[in-house]
Amino acid sequence: MTLRALVLLSACLGLALPAAAQTQPPAAKASAWKAPRNVWGHPDLSGVWTNATITRLERDPRFGDRLVLSEAEARQIEGVTARAMDAAGRPTDQKTGVDDLPTCGDGSSGPACGYNAFWVAPGTKVIRIGGEARSSILVEPKNGRLPLSAAALARQRAAFGNGRLGNFDGPERRPLGERCLVGFGSTSGPPMLPVLYNNHYQIAQTGDEVMIQIEMVHDTRIIRLNSTHKPASVRQWMGDSIGRWEGDTLVVETANFRRDQTFRGATENMRVIERFTRISPQQIKYTFEVIDPATFTEPVKGEQAFNASSEMVYEYACHEGNYALHGILAGAREEERQGREMEGNRGAVKEEGAE
């Protein structure tokens, strides 16, 4: 089974993809356990954590407004995921050519399918927080779906249409992850969401700052404690994050986003409020709220589990191995040279085979 076939299967189940075993132990109740303090007297969040999970951001409509799954439902979902991953990991007939591989979930085939199952590691378990199995990362709205405004949908359609024109002109037209600038899928955030692989985060603390190193693309967030935002004219990758401690919870407010790096089509004026609370030796409860009235008609809030990991955060040498971007652009230039330019090569496009 190809990766995209797995994507389709998982989407039908309301899940993300499976991967190598990833445990998510039920957390002790906050009242029964207190986080240790570091030398600055703050709750200790340091260490390596993973948010890998097969729980999707948005809830499968079949669950309606129900956030919490029964344990039987959670085990059934995890079992389907495990069987799909097992099937995807079986050896491919060595006599099969690339162009003969099965079609992916979107109808593509062969090399257009992208990664196979060997390279992905999004997790094997649904999110469990305080022993509760979750049907979605989003907890508000109640249906666990993004409440996009009509204006936001129109903006997205316009951006998609514009993105098809000239998207092979140069690297500036390609996605940020493809250009190795930041991780794809909001893995670096904020909010920080799980993706296909590299879902590890390393947290280090001082008295004045909290650093979060993201394994994907080796992004690093620096959260300044008890500070103020930089001027709105200063817009950084991952925004401008300032934090404060409210009891055992680290509260982080982020603003000043770049227009080309926002959450699910939100505007650069969005704000994100995150809360990190260590609720057991093995788990940080991570919550977020995205505020952008120009995009969302209701509050958007989510909850995740960051689970302790004994694994290392490896260097993500994206630029060093990024041969694909050169190949994509070089292929478009070759098509133009041969006079059979494909739609999207340049801003002024012509159909392949047109006179």
Side-chain angles (χ1 to χ4, degrees):
M1 183 180 294
T2 63
L3 173 61
R4 294 198 183 183
L6 277 174
V7 171
L8 181 62
L9 173 62
S10 299
C12 293
L13 294 170
L15 307 173
L17 285 173
Q22 174 66 53
T23 59
Q24 294 193 8
K29 293 184 179 180
S31 60
W33 186 86
K34 290 292 184 181
R37 261 47 180 177
N38 56 28
V39 295
W40 296 280
H42 300 152
D44 189 1
L45 304 177
S46 63
V48 177
W49 308 86
T50 176
N51 63 352
T53 181
I54 58 175
T55 301
R56 294 192 332 188
L57 173 69
E58 294 188 85
R59 188 175 309 146
D60 188 316
R62 66 191 173 104
F63 292 118
D65 292 348
R66 190 157 58 89
L67 173 64
V68 179
L69 299 170
S70 70
E71 192 57 33
E73 288 174 319
R75 286 196 300 268
Q76 189 271 336
I77 290 170
E78 291 166 352
V80 169
T81 299
R83 290 189 293 274
M85 191 58 186
D86 179 67
R90 293 171 187 167
T92 302
D93 186 343
Q94 296 301 299
K95 297 179 181 179
T96 302
V98 171
D99 293 329
D100 298 324
L101 293 173
T103 57
C104 306
D106 65 353
S108 302
S109 62
C113 289
Y115 300 104
N116 61 26
F118 176 82
W119 299 104
V120 299
T124 61
K125 305 292 183 182
V126 300
I127 291 174
R128 287 178 172 81
I129 299 177
E132 291 183 345
R134 299 296 181 86
S135 61
S136 64
I137 292 174
L138 290 182
V139 299
E140 290 187 27
K142 287 185 177 180
N143 66 359
R145 312 288 296 178
L146 286 173
L148 292 168
S149 66
L153 290 171
R155 194 168 63 240
Q156 289 182 6
R157 286 193 295 268
F160 176 77
N162 183 55
R164 296 181 64 183
L165 302 179
N167 60 3
F168 300 117
D169 270 353
E172 295 81 6
R173 298 288 293 179
R174 307 306 303 162
L176 299 179
E178 194 173 283
R179 295 160 60 191
C180 297
L181 294 175
V182 292
F184 62 85
S186 198
T187 180
S188 55
M192 300 184 298
L193 299 177
V195 288
L196 282 176
Y197 55 89
N198 287 52
N199 289 304
H200 287 79
Y201 298 76
Q202 184 164 13
I203 300 178
Q205 299 168 249
T206 71
D208 301 316
E209 295 179 330
V210 175
M211 181 277 291
I212 304 177
Q213 184 181 60
I214 301 99
E215 189 173 32
M216 180 67 78
V217 190
H218 228 59
D219 293 334
T220 302
R221 291 182 62 190
I222 303 295
I223 300 164
R224 306 186 312 282
L225 299 179
N226 305 316
S227 184
T228 58
H229 285 299
K230 297 175 182 178
S233 59
V234 179
R235 297 194 175 260
Q236 307 174 158
W237 296 116
M238 297 169 282
D240 179 41
S241 296
I242 58 175
R244 66 183 183 274
W245 287 99
E246 292 184 357
D248 288 349
T249 298
L250 173 65
V251 180
V252 180
E253 297 187 19
T254 304
N256 298 358
F257 288 90
R258 292 172 57 98
R259 183 176 299 177
D260 50 359
Q261 192 202 8
T262 59
F263 171 73
R264 297 298 192 269
T267 70
E268 67 270 28
N269 296 319
M270 75 176 194
R271 292 192 301 118
V272 178
I273 300 174
E274 303 164 284
R275 288 177 168 82
F276 299 78
T277 308
R278 191 170 175 185
I279 58 175
S280 82
Q282 294 82 32
Q283 194 174 80
I284 293 173
K285 182 179 180 181
Y286 171 72
T287 70
F288 63 84
E289 178 179 5
V290 182
I291 303 168
D292 186 15
T295 302
F296 305 114
T297 59
E298 299 178 54
V300 173
K301 298 181 181 180
E303 294 181 352
Q304 292 185 74
F306 276 67
N307 297 295
S309 174
S310 59
E311 298 181 355
M312 297 174 59
V313 174
Y314 288 92
E315 179 186 5
Y316 193 94
C318 188
H319 284 289
E320 292 85 339
N322 193 12
Y323 303 110
L325 185 59
H326 176 273
I328 289 168
L329 298 176
R333 301 292 81 80
E334 177 62 19
E335 287 174 344
E336 292 161 4
R337 187 187 69 79
Q338 295 181 13
R340 55 185 188 91
E341 188 172 335
M342 296 289 287
E343 181 180 359
N345 275 18
R346 292 188 179 276
V349 302
K350 63 179 181 180
E351 296 294 334
E352 183 180 15
E355 296 296 327

